[in-house]
């Protein structure tokens, strides 16, 4: 199997893997809280985006628009999820403001929304890693929490950390990857898709945990 | 002696109370105004009826005799109280007199002794029989125990600071202890040396070359 | 582009390293929380075991007390009562026959009165007599001053309360506190060989503070902890159980030749006496 073939396989696998946490959300429909509703919307948009990327992979400009819009929506949705969980409104407000300013600057002032982006996605990854760390800190410093793994959001937080931790380097070297030979690009983005599949499974596990929460 | 001695009675043993009432009423110069079962009832009666002599049992329900005696000392000081108790111990006797009782009798005393106590208390303001007298005398002589002892090293340290005019707080800070420890040492030093005031302690310290 | 393959390899390895690091951090986080949980459980276990031990002691002491009372009644009262009843029966029979023996009957009645004294003594073993008649403060003061002149020592009591006569504890709590103080004083008399003992009572918002200060040989909190761990005798456990029932704390310390025992009892649940 070539890298390209492997990448194609992983693309479809990644799209279908989104179905796992969505399916579990539908099973646990009645028990979903606001966080999991936001996560469901995030997964649906993500799955949609992946599908669109497959369909429009030849049209770079349109593809970039979809990807950049998705990045904005993804970021805002994830920050809102952390606002609900962390309840640290000031920090979220600062992150939200910074991210919005960077988006506006990159997509409407410095460049265009139809141009490939590295900066916004990298900043998004950094913000999410920061918020993820804050959640772990909150669990660590709360003496009433003795079994963190029994909380559903522990797994969702871990998933975000894996995805954006691994993705940070890939987003930052996006330019290089897109100019690299096909097999190298396929291998690197394939790795990203593999992590994506793993993260979707963690989302599914976290959503399943809501029964015992 | 024209008027009768007005007597009140507070005793929770029903049969005993009735017995006292009957026997006291038999005396020509006594008038029994009331008899009650407990201290609370006694306080209610005293609001409207004032005996000259009150026979009081210490152990009664609701409000005991000791509490009633305490209240009467301030509210009704003119009433002369004769405590009649089953407990004939040094502590009971001393505490009763401290609370204002004028006489202390055993419950086992004959009615003649009780009548004698009432008459003498009414005439002379109080009554102490031989037994009570001996107990009180023994108690007074035992409190005069002034065995002098040597001061310890810590006490000398504290005495030196007191003699130099330091307050308890300052002395505590200097010696790195609590003010409680300084206060204790001060009391102990006063007991050992027989000094009663700080100037006396200072004089003692100077005399004995502690400063 | 210089050697994209090497750069790609570096990126892959870096990503894998980041993933590995995150996994390690998460595992460490879970392990550390687990250790905290284990430690807390151990402490809870120890607390529960201590409480159970103390409750056992309370029950043991109560049963012991009941047995003593039963024994006293059995040994002192019942045989005498039985004998007196028999004697009186004999005298009544004689009376019925016309033989008048009033002296012996009078003597029998006197002996019954003396029995009443004995029963009274036993009853007062259950509740201290001064406590019922004169209340907590006076009975405590008497207890302490009675200790004076034992072996040439001196004991004083100071009532340093600010709010007058009210003790904000229920009757039962006051009795328990009285017994606790009595036990402490008993222990001091037996073990500390003091020359001067000062007991004082203070009240602060929401609590009562009873302090025993003496110049004899004292003990510290650490030594008490050690004795407790080493399975101390019923005396110490009985004291601890009484203090626990009052939700109180006891503190032992020594400062420059002064030994302190400080008893702190909360009064928020008490009602005025």
């Amino acid at each position: 199997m070539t890298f390209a073939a492997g990448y194609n396989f992983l693309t479809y696998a990644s799209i279908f893997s989104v179905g796992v946490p969505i399916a579990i959300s539908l099973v646990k429909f009645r028990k979903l809280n606001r966080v999991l509703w936001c996560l469901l919307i995030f997964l649906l948009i993500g799955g949609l985006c992946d599908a669109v990327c497959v369909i429009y992979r030849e049209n770079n400009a349109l593809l970039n628009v979809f990807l950049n819009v998705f990045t904005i929506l993804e970021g805002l949705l994830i920050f809102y999820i952390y606002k609900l969980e962390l309840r640290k409104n000031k920090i979220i407000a600062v992150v939200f403001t910074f991210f919005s300013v960077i988006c506006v600057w990159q997509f409407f002032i410095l460049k265009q929304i139809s141009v490939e982006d590295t900066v916004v996605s990298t900043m998004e990854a950094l913000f999410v890693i920061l918020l993820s760390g804050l959640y772990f800190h909150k669990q660590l410093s709360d003496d009433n929490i003795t079994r963190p793994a029994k909380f559903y959001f522990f797994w969702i937080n871990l998933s975000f950390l894996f995805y954006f931790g691994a993705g940070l380097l890939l987003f930052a070297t996006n330019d290089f990857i897109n100019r690299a030979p096909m097999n190298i690009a396929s291998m690197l983005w394939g790795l990203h898709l593999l992590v994506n599949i793993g993260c979707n499974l963690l989302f599914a596990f976290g959503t399943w945990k809501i029964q015992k929460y | 002696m024209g008027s009768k001695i007005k007597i009140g009675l507070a005793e929770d043993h029903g049969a005993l109370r009735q017995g006292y009432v009957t026997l006291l009423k038999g005396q020509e110069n006594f008038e029994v105004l009331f008899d009650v079962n407990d201290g609370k009832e006694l306080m209610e009666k005293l609001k409207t009826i004032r005996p000259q002599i009150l026979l009081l049992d210490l152990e009664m329900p609701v409000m005991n005799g000791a509490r009633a005696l305490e209240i009467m000392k301030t509210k009704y000081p003119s009433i002369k109280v004769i405590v009649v108790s089953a407990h004939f111990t040094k502590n009971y006797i001393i505490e009763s007199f401290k609370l204002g009782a004028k006489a202390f009798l055993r419950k086992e005393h004959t009615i003649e002794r009780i009548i004698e106590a009432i008459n003498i208390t009414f005439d002379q303001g109080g009554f102490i029989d031989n037994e009570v007298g001996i107990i009180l005398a023994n108690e007074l002589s035992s409190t005069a125990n002034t065995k002098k002892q040597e001061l310890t090293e810590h006490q000398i340290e504290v005495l030196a600071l007191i003699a130099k005019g330091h307050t308890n707080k300052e002395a505590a800070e200097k010696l790195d202890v609590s003010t409680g420890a300084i206060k204790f040492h001060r009391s102990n030093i006063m007991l050992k040396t027989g000094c009663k005031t700080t100037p006396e302690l200072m004089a003692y310290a100077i005399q004995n070359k502690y400063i | 582009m210089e050697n994209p393959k090497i750069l790609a390899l570096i990126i892959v390895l870096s990503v894998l390293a980041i993933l590995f690091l995150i996994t390690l951090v998460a595992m460490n986080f879970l392990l550390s929380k687990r250790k905290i949980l284990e430690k807390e459980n151990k402490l809870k276990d120890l607390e529960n075991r201590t409480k159970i031990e103390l409750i056992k002691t309370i029950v043991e002491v109560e049963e012991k007390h009941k047995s003593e009372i039963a024994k006293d009644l059995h040994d002192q009262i019942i045989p005498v009562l039985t004998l007196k009843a028999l004697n009186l029966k004999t005298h009544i029979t004689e009376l019925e026959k016309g033989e008048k023996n009033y002296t012996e009957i009078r003597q029998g009645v006197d002996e019954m009165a003396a029995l009443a004294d004995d029963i009274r003594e036993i009853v007062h073993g259950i509740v201290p007599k001064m406590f019922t008649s004169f209340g907590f403060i006076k009975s405590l003061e008497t207890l302490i001053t009675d200790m004076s002149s034992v072996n040439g020592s001196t004991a004083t009591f100071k009532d340093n309360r600010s709010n007058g006569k009210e003790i904000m504890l229920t009757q039962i709590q006051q009795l328990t506190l009285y017994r606790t103080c009595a036990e402490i004083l008993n222990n001091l008399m037996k073990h500390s060989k003091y020359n001067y003992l000062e007991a004082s009572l203070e009240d602060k918002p929401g609590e009562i503070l009873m302090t025993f200060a003496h110049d004899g040989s004292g003990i510290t909190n650490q030594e008490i902890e050690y004795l407790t761990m080493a399975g101390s005798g019923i005396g110490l456990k009985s004291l601890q159980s009484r203090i626990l029932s009052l939700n109180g704390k006891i503190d032992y310390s020594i400062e420059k030749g002064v030994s302190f025992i400080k008893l702190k009892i909360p009064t928020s649940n008490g009602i005025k006496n």
Side-chain angles (χ1 to χ4, degrees):
Chain A
M1 193 191 251
T2 61
F3 280 121
Y7 174 76
N8 282 335
F9 169 74
L10 285 171
T11 306
Y12 288 110
S14 173
I15 294 169
F16 283 115
S17 73
V18 170
V20 179
I22 290 172
I24 298 209
S25 296
L26 293 173
V27 168
K28 300 283 178 185
F29 191 74
R30 287 212 171 85
K31 292 189 171 59
L32 294 185
N33 59 13
R34 220 189 284 183
V35 167
L36 289 174
W37 272 111
C38 291
L39 187 70
L40 180 61
I41 295 166
F42 163 79
L43 291 166
L44 287 168
I45 296 172
L48 186 68
C49 185
D50 285 345
V52 162
C53 285
V54 169
I55 298 164
Y56 290 98
R57 72 177 120 199
E58 303 305 328
N59 187 342
N60 272 344
L62 198 55
L63 188 64
N64 289 332
V65 169
F66 275 120
L67 284 171
N68 291 337
V69 167
F70 172 68
T71 304
I72 297 168
L73 287 174
E74 180 191 60
L76 296 177
L77 212 48
I78 292 172
F79 299 153
Y80 183 66
I81 286 172
Y82 276 102
K83 176 197 179 298
L84 291 173
E85 272 298 326
L86 287 175
R87 293 170 211 262
K88 286 188 190 293
N89 292 337
K90 278 186 188 161
I91 294 173
I92 302 294
V94 166
V95 164
F96 189 89
T97 310
F98 261 109
F99 184 72
S100 305
V101 165
I102 290 164
C103 287
V104 166
W105 178 256
Q106 278 293 116
F107 295 142
F108 299 105
I109 298 171
L110 195 64
K111 296 178 185 174
Q112 288 173 328
I113 200 161
S114 56
V115 172
E116 224 170 298
D117 160 68
T118 316
V119 175
V120 175
S121 47
T122 309
M123 292 311 296
E124 184 201 4
L126 282 171
F127 284 136
V128 175
I129 290 166
L130 166 74
L131 294 172
S132 173
L134 281 174
Y135 180 78
F136 277 128
H137 178 261
K138 180 189 164 190
Q139 281 206 314
L140 195 65
S141 51
D142 188 346
D143 290 335
N144 292 325
I145 297 174
T146 50
R147 289 183 206 276
K150 87 171 185 194
F151 286 83
Y152 80 101
F153 198 75
F154 172 82
W155 302 99
I156 290 167
N157 184 56
L158 191 62
S159 176
F160 280 134
L161 189 59
F162 270 130
Y163 181 79
F164 287 99
L168 179 65
L169 208 52
L170 294 168
F171 300 148
T173 55
N174 193 23
D175 285 340
F176 157 74
I177 297 171
N178 288 339
R179 286 198 296 275
M182 186 58 115
N183 57 340
I184 289 171
S186 302
M187 180 185 71
L188 291 171
W189 285 125
L191 181 61
H192 172 72
L193 288 169
L194 210 55
V195 171
N196 199 28
I197 292 165
C199 290
N200 285 332
L201 295 176
L202 276 175
F203 282 141
F205 185 69
T207 309
W208 181 257
K209 274 272 187 189
I210 192 70
Q211 181 185 26
K212 289 176 190 162
Y213 180 63
Chain B
M1 206 165 33
S3 59
K4 295 186 178 184
I5 300 173
K6 294 180 174 54
I7 297 169
L9 178 63
E11 166 62 59
D12 66 328
H13 278 131
L16 190 60
R17 186 170 76 249
Q18 288 313 310
Y20 280 149
V21 167
T22 310
L23 291 166
L24 290 171
K25 275 183 173 170
Q27 297 298 303
E28 277 180 13
N29 64 326
F30 290 170
E31 187 189 345
V32 179
L33 297 181
F34 62 77
D35 61 284
V36 295
N37 189 53
D38 60 67
K40 194 178 174 190
E41 227 185 301
L42 174 65
M43 291 299 121
E44 284 302 313
K45 282 281 183 204
L46 289 176
K47 283 178 185 171
T48 48
I49 312 171
R50 301 281 164 85
Q52 289 157 316
I53 300 283
L54 177 73
L55 290 175
L56 178 71
D57 178 17
L58 284 179
E59 285 188 2
M60 291 187 292
V62 187
M63 185 197 288
N64 62 32
R67 180 77 186 121
L69 194 51
E70 215 175 353
I71 296 169
M72 285 171 65
K73 192 178 177 184
T74 43
K75 268 186 143 179
Y76 312 108
S78 58
I79 301 175
K80 296 182 180 71
V81 179
I82 297 173
V83 168
V84 183
S85 174
H87 309 292
F88 199 76
T89 67
K90 168 196 87 175
N91 292 324
Y92 265 72
I93 294 167
I94 291 164
E95 290 307 321
S96 299
F97 279 114
K98 275 187 185 172
L99 288 170
K102 301 297 177 197
F104 191 103
L105 298 173
R106 284 178 186 271
K107 260 194 194 169
E108 294 85 23
H109 272 319
T110 58
I111 192 63
E112 288 82 16
R113 175 54 65 95
I114 294 172
I115 292 166
E116 183 194 0
I118 293 172
N119 282 320
I120 293 176
T121 305
F122 181 75
D123 286 336
Q124 297 175 26
F127 172 79
I128 291 180
D129 66 10
N130 281 344
E131 275 181 297
V132 171
I134 289 166
I135 287 169
L136 289 174
N138 284 338
E139 177 61 17
L140 283 166
S141 69
S142 73
T143 54
N145 173 25
T146 50
K147 181 179 164 185
K148 289 231 161 91
Q149 291 162 38
E150 291 285 317
L151 295 182
T152 63
E153 196 188 306
H154 295 303
Q155 286 165 347
I156 292 168
E157 260 183 310
V158 171
L159 179 60
L161 288 170
I162 294 170
K164 284 176 187 166
H166 288 99
T167 60
N168 287 340
K169 195 177 172 188
E170 286 164 358
E173 275 168 21
K174 272 206 176 288
L175 296 175
D176 193 26
V177 292
S178 63
T179 46
I182 299 295
K183 282 179 188 172
F184 176 83
H185 277 310
R186 185 190 273 260
S187 304
N188 203 1
I189 294 165
M190 281 177 156
L191 187 74
K192 283 185 175 179
T193 58
C195 300
K196 290 192 170 42
T197 60
T198 306
E200 282 179 34
L201 278 175
M202 286 173 166
Y204 180 87
I206 294 165
Q207 231 172 1
N208 292 277
K209 297 190 173 67
Y210 288 128
I211 51 163
Chain C
M1 201 176 299
E2 290 172 25
N3 227 335
K5 279 187 183 172
I6 295 171
L7 204 54
L9 191 63
I10 291 169
I11 292 170
V12 167
L13 289 173
S14 303
V15 167
L16 290 174
I18 288 169
L19 289 172
F20 180 67
L21 204 66
I22 292 168
T23 313
L24 265 179
V25 166
M27 278 174 64
N28 195 38
F29 172 77
L30 289 174
L31 271 169
S32 64
K33 272 288 186 179
R34 186 180 283 234
K35 275 184 189 164
I36 292 169
L37 177 66
E38 273 172 13
K39 194 179 171 188
E40 268 178 30
N41 284 342
K42 267 190 191 159
L43 278 168
K44 268 188 194 153
D45 263 337
L46 186 65
E47 227 179 88
N48 285 340
R49 271 189 275 128
T50 311
K51 275 191 181 154
I52 289 167
E53 278 295 315
L54 289 174
I55 289 166
K56 266 191 197 165
T57 308
I58 293 170
V59 171
E60 242 177 75
V61 166
E62 255 188 58
E63 289 305 315
K64 195 177 162 206
H65 204 198
K66 278 183 198 168
S67 313
E68 280 168 9
I69 293 167
K71 189 175 181 296
D72 284 343
L73 285 170
H74 181 266
D75 294 347
Q76 289 178 34
I77 307 301
I78 294 170
V80 178
L81 262 176
T82 315
L83 193 62
K84 292 301 149 208
L86 272 172
N87 280 345
L88 281 170
K89 221 172 167 181
T90 312
H91 295 315
I92 288 164
T93 314
E94 284 169 359
L95 265 175
E96 281 168 352
K97 285 182 191 167
E99 295 163 29
K100 294 173 188 175
N101 200 350
Y102 297 120
T103 320
E104 298 229 354
I105 294 170
R106 216 172 267 134
Q107 200 177 328
V109 168
D110 283 343
E111 283 165 357
M112 293 290 226
L115 256 180
D117 275 342
D118 288 340
I119 295 170
R120 200 177 289 124
E121 282 300 314
I122 291 168
V123 164
H124 291 134
I126 305 166
V127 179
K129 37 189 177 194
M130 279 296 284
F131 184 89
T132 43
S133 300
F134 291 96
F136 170 70
I137 301 288
K138 278 279 175 232
S139 53
L140 186 63
E141 187 179 3
T142 313
L143 184 68
I144 291 163
T145 48
D146 276 354
M147 285 169 68
S148 251
S149 75
V150 168
N151 304 324
S153 61
T154 308
T156 59
F157 173 72
K158 286 184 180 166
D159 184 359
N160 294 333
R161 289 174 303 145
S162 54
N163 70 345
K165 307 282 178 200
E166 296 165 8
I167 300 269
M168 301 294 282
L169 293 172
T170 64
Q171 194 70 357
I172 302 281
Q173 285 173 324
Q174 286 185 40
L175 183 56
T176 309
L177 181 57
Y178 174 84
R179 287 204 205 279
T180 308
C181 293
E183 216 170 316
I184 291 172
L185 289 164
N186 195 37
N187 290 339
L188 288 173
M189 247 193 338
K190 274 197 279 185
H191 303 296
S192 70
K193 295 183 177 56
Y194 63 84
N195 286 314
Y196 179 59
L197 166 78
E198 199 175 84
S200 59
L201 182 66
E202 266 176 77
D203 59 351
K204 289 182 181 174
E207 65 183 17
I208 279 177
L209 185 62
M210 186 75 215
T211 307
F212 300 90
H214 65 90
D215 59 358
S217 50
I219 198 167
T220 59
N221 283 333
Q222 269 177 325
E223 286 163 323
I224 290 286
E225 222 177 281
Y226 175 74
L227 284 170
T228 314
M229 298 284 226
S232 56
I234 203 167
L236 187 59
K237 280 191 188 152
S238 158
L239 188 61
Q240 286 168 339
S241 65
R242 284 217 176 92
I243 295 166
L244 183 70
S245 74
L246 290 169
N247 205 22
K249 287 192 182 128
I250 189 163
D251 181 77
Y252 299 87
S253 59
I254 303 174
E255 283 179 63
K256 286 234 181 229
V258 187
S259 299
F260 289 100
I261 299 174
K262 290 178 186 166
L263 202 49
K264 221 183 260 190
I265 309 292
T267 56
S268 49
N269 293 327
I271 50 172
K272 270 197 279 189
N273 181 30

